[in-house]
Amino acid sequence: MAEKKVTTKKATETKATAAKKTTTVKKAAAPKVAAKKDVLAVNAENIGFKAGDVYQALAAAEKPLSVKEIAKAAKISEEETLLGLGWLFKEGKLVNTEDKITLA
């Protein structure tokens, strides 16, 4: 009877060890998660603020700028810059010359 208990205990230990190995393999094989991107809230208030940032950057530069240059000057992303530009174009505040944008 004592032999059965020992055998059962060994079988249980083997199953537990196998479960640990399986778990370790699953964790190691898991794909790496990409860096989380900032979420851009698209609403009239936020886009209006971005339009103000874009306008201020263009006014300070006093010359035509590209989208990338505006984004850098305003310290906002290119996506936010495009939203702000759309707002300002709609209001007639901007003029597009070749590949650069300037105030109207």
Side-chain angles (χ1 to χ4, degrees):
M1 197 87 172
E3 290 178 22
K4 284 187 177 180
K5 287 183 181 178
V6 172
T7 306
T8 306
K9 186 175 181 182
K10 286 182 182 179
T12 305
E13 287 175 7
T14 305
K15 287 179 184 177
T17 305
K20 286 181 183 177
K21 287 181 183 176
T22 304
T23 304
T24 304
V25 171
K26 286 181 182 177
K27 286 181 182 177
K32 292 183 180 179
V33 178
K36 198 172 187 179
K37 291 187 175 182
D38 293 333
V39 177
L40 177 62
V42 179
N43 59 41
E45 184 177 6
N46 288 342
I47 296 170
F49 285 128
K50 299 309 173 192
D53 294 340
V54 168
Y55 190 90
Q56 292 298 321
L58 286 168
E62 298 180 350
K63 65 179 184 174
L65 298 174
S66 68
V67 173
K68 192 174 227 176
E69 292 168 336
I70 295 169
K72 186 176 179 181
K75 298 177 184 169
I76 57 177
S77 71
E78 288 187 35
E79 291 82 11
E80 293 168 328
T81 302
L82 292 171
L83 288 170
L85 288 171
W87 180 291
L88 294 170
F89 271 119
K90 177 75 170 143
E91 291 184 349
K93 306 267 185 199
L94 302 177
V95 175
N96 189 15
T97 57
E98 295 179 23
D99 62 340
K100 304 272 183 164
I101 300 163
T102 188
L103 296 175

